[in-house]
């Protein structure tokens, strides 16, 4: 018997705090846009960086560009793949140079293009970061990144360099780069306002091609199915310096989508 079903889709989500707080929401909105993926690969986490190991309180995670996602992905069969890269910039407060940040992001782009992925990247939120006063910058730097010693001027200089570098990279590597407007972000300049998260991610998801396969009322009927059947856990992390490994996929949504978390 001939199987005429279209191949299952693969969704790859890379980011830090904003993506972590909205992982189910983003998956839900992507399902609306492209249809239900058979599997979701997510590399996210509070304080996560692309090019350097990050430590938040007692939990440590490898840089996204070096995590186990890429090894597992290269061993799997090809599928229609859609990728979102967001929350770029934490590397700066870990005091990486703009060149190091951009190299880490480009390594991810290279791996995704080997999978023929349709890629959307959000640029650094320049407008909201630039409007931070010296006082607010110091307050939030000390609150979220107490180890960082960069001045506001040095941070802004690096943010501008990474922002410009991503514009150049998008033209060279032919992926879609989305500029982020200041009105989406809260007083710290980097975290999306809680009540605007759905509108923010809807605005990003519309940059992916619409499958056109779902009716207008799909959103209301499917919300139940986007609850966790099993919450995903990291494939690798350190806890109080001790390495912890978990097999993947480790999570599942109620609609059957498998979640691999790296």
């Amino acid at each position: 018997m001939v199987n005429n079903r279209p191949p299952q889709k693969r969704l790859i989500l890379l980011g830090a705090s904003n993506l972590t707080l909205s992982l189910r929401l983003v998956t839900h909105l992507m399902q609306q846009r492209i249809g239900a993926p058979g599997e979701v690969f997510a590399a996210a986490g509070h304080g996560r960086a692309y090019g350097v190991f990050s430590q938040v309180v007692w939990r440590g995670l490898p840089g996204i560009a070096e995590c186990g996602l890429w090894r597992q992905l290269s061993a799997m069969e090809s599928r229609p793949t859609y990728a979102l890269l967001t929350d770029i910039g934490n590397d700066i407060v870990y005091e990486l140079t703009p060149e190091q940040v951009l190299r880490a992001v480009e390594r991810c782009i290279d791996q995704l293009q080997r999978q023929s992925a349709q890629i959307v990247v959000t640029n650094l939120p320049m407008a909201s970061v630039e409007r931070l006063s010296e006082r607010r910058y110091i307050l939030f730097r000390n609150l979220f990144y107490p180890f960082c010693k960069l001045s506001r001027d040095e941070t802004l200089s690096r943010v501008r360099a990474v922002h410009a570098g991503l514009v150049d990279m998008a033209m060279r590597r032919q992926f879609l780069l989305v500029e982020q407007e200041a009105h989406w972000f809260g007083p710290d300049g980097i975290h999306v306002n809680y009540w605007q998260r759905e509108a923010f991610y809807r605005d990003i998801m519309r940059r992916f091609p619409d499958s056109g396969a779902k009716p207008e009322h799909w959103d209301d009927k499917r919300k139940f199915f986007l609850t966790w059947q099993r919450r995903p856990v990291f494939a690798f992390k350190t806890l109080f310096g001790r390495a912890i490994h978990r097999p993947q996929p480790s999570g599942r949504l109620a609609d059957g989508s498998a979640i691999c978390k790296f």
Side-chain angles (χ1 to χ4, degrees):
M1 177 180 289
V2 177
N3 184 356
N4 292 320
R5 293 195 308 170
Q8 287 188 308
K9 296 169 183 175
R10 179 175 291 144
L11 176 59
I12 300 175
L13 304 171
L14 311 179
S17 295
N18 284 312
L19 180 58
T20 298
L21 292 169
S22 301
L23 185 58
R24 281 193 302 166
L25 172 63
V26 171
T27 305
H28 178 53
L29 294 175
M30 280 298 289
Q31 286 190 325
Q32 288 182 295
R33 191 71 183 174
I34 67 170
E39 55 191 15
V40 180
F41 286 72
H46 295 289
R48 194 76 182 264
Y50 277 79
V52 66
F53 184 90
S54 58
Q55 185 85 27
V56 175
V57 191
W58 54 79
R59 188 268 292 143
L61 293 171
I64 292 172
E66 303 296 337
C67 73
L69 183 155
W70 310 111
R71 184 169 57 254
Q72 181 155 337
L73 191 63
S74 66
M76 302 181 77
E77 65 178 355
S78 177
R79 287 184 175 181
T81 300
Y82 303 81
L84 171 66
L85 287 75
T86 190
D87 294 334
I88 299 169
N90 277 343
D91 298 70
I92 293 171
V93 291
Y94 290 113
E95 303 193 19
L96 269 67
T97 66
E99 293 75 19
Q100 290 172 313
V101 180
L102 292 166
R103 279 200 299 270
V105 174
E106 193 156 12
R107 286 200 299 273
C108 297
I109 296 294
D110 184 60
Q111 296 278 1
L112 291 167
Q113 290 186 332
R114 292 181 189 180
Q115 301 289 323
S116 300
Q118 299 197 44
I119 303 169
V120 173
V121 179
T122 62
N123 209 339
L124 278 68
M126 279 299 310
S128 63
V129 173
E130 286 189 323
R131 71 183 182 182
L132 285 174
S133 67
E134 180 77 22
R135 179 177 295 182
R136 276 201 294 154
Y137 168 78
I138 296 297
L139 170 65
F140 290 117
R141 184 198 67 181
N142 292 343
L143 179 63
F144 296 131
Y145 310 101
F147 48 82
C148 179
K149 303 304 179 186
L150 294 178
S151 68
R152 176 181 179 275
D153 288 346
E154 179 59 29
T155 298
L156 284 176
S157 175
R158 296 189 187 196
V159 167
R160 293 184 185 111
V162 173
H163 182 278
L166 287 172
V167 172
D168 175 70
M169 190 188 305
M171 290 189 293
R172 288 190 294 105
R173 302 300 299 259
Q174 295 295 295
F175 59 80
L176 182 59
L177 184 67
V178 179
E179 296 294 341
Q180 302 185 81
E181 298 177 19
H183 69 84
W184 295 121
F185 294 88
D188 63 4
I190 59 173
H191 288 108
V192 178
N193 283 314
Y194 179 82
W195 298 110
Q196 291 183 282
R197 287 188 302 163
E198 183 167 353
F200 172 77
Y201 284 110
R202 280 191 185 279
D203 183 65
I204 294 172
M205 294 308 151
R206 67 181 177 83
R207 318 304 172 102
F208 288 98
D210 191 345
S211 69
K214 300 160 292 297
E216 289 295 319
H217 59 275
W218 186 90
D219 181 63
D220 295 329
K221 284 196 168 188
R222 294 286 289 186
K223 281 187 176 178
F224 167 78
F225 294 104
L226 264 293
T227 57
W228 294 119
Q229 187 179 80
R230 185 172 68 248
R231 289 182 177 275
V233 295
F234 287 108
F236 171 79
K237 68 179 180 180
T238 63
L239 195 61
F240 296 106
R242 182 171 65 91
I244 299 174
H245 299 266
R246 293 288 186 270
Q248 299 297 319
S250 61
R252 187 170 297 276
L253 291 167
D255 72 342
S257 297
I259 315 291
C260 300
K261 188 175 181 181
F262 295 90

